[in-house]
């Protein structure tokens, strides 16, 4: 994808447009954060430290698992909602997802190879994996932008916000508890305070009390004192 400066001018137009439900927005913030953090973590890992190296590799494996699951959700829930209303509209992205599956398998095997690698070759293998992951991240940042623009244009033209909320709700309901927790781990700290409060307020109203508390305890570890104060205040005042 070529960089298009006109995309920047779209910022001004976004302000004028009536807000629609963007089912990609929050989960893609989570993915961008998870990808960026994992890439930087791998780039600074001490390959002479067994624990640090295995943690960096385990993080790469966690990330690619999350990416695989995410693309399956898009294929299984979002694309059928598009295809039934606008046949062919998800074909290009669905095709890219096949390439992502191959890249994910290559990254997983690269991480396993690095973990098993003799100490003297670790630095070279780690750097090769770092560059491979950087390309995957770069491609995925553009891919997510395509979904947020082209796919949302189709979804907004053919679906009501209630229908989109149904698609999103079906994805959330399909998540096993461990994956839901990983999603919250990477989503909540990287939302704005208003978005964070919105997600947690909804969760307080619909999820079991223990699940809500576990997520709240987890997110607190990843927020600054000021972010935590804002969240606690909003939850107390506007979400009881
Ligand atoms: Fe995608």
């Amino acid at each position: 994808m070529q960089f298009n400066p006109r995309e920047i001018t779209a910022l001004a137009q976004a302000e004028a447009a009536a807000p629609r439900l963007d089912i990609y927005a929050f989960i893609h913030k989570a993915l961008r954060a998870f990808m960026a953090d994992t890439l930087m973590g791998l780039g600074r890992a001490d390959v002479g430290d067994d624990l640090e190296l295995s943690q960096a590799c385990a993080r790469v494996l966690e990330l690619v698992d999350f990416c695989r699951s995410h693309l399956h959700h898009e294929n299984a829930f979002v694309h059928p909602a598009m295809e039934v209303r606008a046949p062919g509209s998800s074909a290009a992205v669905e095709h890219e997802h096949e390439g992502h599956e191959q890249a994910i398998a290559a990254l997983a095997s690269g991480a396993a190879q690095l973990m098993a690698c003799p100490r003297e070759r670790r630095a070279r293998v780690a750097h090769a994996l770092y560059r491979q992951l950087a390309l995957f991240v770069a491609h995925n940042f553009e891919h997510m932008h395509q979904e947020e623009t082209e796919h949302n244009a189709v979804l907004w033209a053919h679906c009501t916000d209630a229908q989109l909320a149904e698609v999103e709700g079906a994805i959330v309901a399909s998540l096993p508890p461990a994956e839901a927790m990983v999603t919250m781990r990477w989503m909540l700290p990287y939302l704005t305070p208003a978005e964070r409060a919105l997600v947690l307020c909804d969760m307080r109203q619909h999820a079991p009390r223990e699940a809500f508390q576990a997520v709240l305890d987890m997110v607190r570890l990843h927020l600054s004192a000021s972010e935590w104060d804002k969240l606690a205040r909003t939850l107390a005042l506007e979400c009881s």
Side-chain angles (χ1 to χ4, degrees):
M1 188 189 283
Q2 289 290 318
F3 175 69
N4 179 359
R6 268 179 302 177
E7 292 283 358
I8 303 294
T9 58
L11 279 175
Q13 288 151 13
E15 214 178 321
R20 292 291 314 270
L21 180 61
D22 181 351
I23 60 172
Y24 289 110
F26 290 6
I27 189 63
H28 280 183
K29 277 193 176 182
L31 274 164
R32 286 182 175 106
F34 200 172
M35 287 177 180
D37 191 81
T38 304
L39 178 65
M40 289 187 294
L42 181 61
R44 71 205 289 241
D46 178 356
V47 295
D49 180 328
D50 290 350
L51 178 63
E52 213 176 288
L53 183 73
S54 72
Q55 285 170 336
C57 291
R59 170 62 72 76
V60 172
L61 292 173
E62 269 176 53
L63 170 69
V64 295
D65 266 356
F66 192 72
C67 291
R68 189 187 292 112
S69 179
H70 173 71
L71 75 85
H72 289 167
H73 296 146
E74 289 179 347
N75 289 350
F77 294 96
V78 182
H79 298 175
M82 295 169 67
E83 289 297 320
V84 78
R85 296 167 173 96
S89 59
S90 69
V93 161
E94 184 111 5
H95 180 65
E96 280 202 351
H97 283 176
E98 289 167 21
H100 293 184
E101 296 252 28
Q102 290 166 15
I104 285 167
L107 286 165
S109 105
Q113 204 186 319
L114 176 56
M115 266 201 265
C117 179
R119 191 169 275 267
E120 67 277 8
R121 287 183 41 225
R122 279 182 188 171
R124 268 182 294 144
V125 175
H127 195 62
L129 181 63
Y130 169 81
R131 291 196 309 186
Q132 193 183 358
L133 182 60
L135 281 179
F136 179 74
V137 170
H139 172 71
N140 268 275
F141 272 37
E142 294 195 336
H143 173 89
M144 287 188 276
H145 180 75
Q146 187 182 356
E147 290 171 337
E148 289 160 11
T149 51
E150 294 170 23
H151 278 202
N152 267 338
V154 173
L155 291 167
W156 292 340
H158 297 281
C159 301
T160 63
D161 279 357
Q163 289 169 326
L164 294 174
E166 232 172 83
V167 172
E168 189 177 46
I171 296 173
V172 173
S174 77
L175 297 179
E179 189 180 347
M181 195 57 137
V182 175
T183 305
M184 289 294 151
R185 156 69 183 93
W186 289 104
M187 180 187 288
L188 289 171
Y190 300 102
L191 297 179
T192 67
E195 292 168 343
R196 191 179 298 130
L198 194 72
V199 173
L200 281 167
C201 189
D202 183 70
M203 193 180 177
R204 181 186 256 180
Q205 282 157 0
H206 298 105
R209 178 192 284 262
E210 307 74 45
F212 172 74
Q213 193 56 49
V215 166
L216 205 56
D217 292 344
M218 176 277 296
V219 74
R220 186 172 191 169
L221 301 172
H222 301 287
L223 297 181
S224 67
S226 144
E227 286 167 332
W228 173 254
D229 284 349
K230 284 178 189 170
L231 178 62
R233 216 174 317 131
T234 310
L235 288 177
L237 290 175
E238 293 170 27
C239 178
S240 42

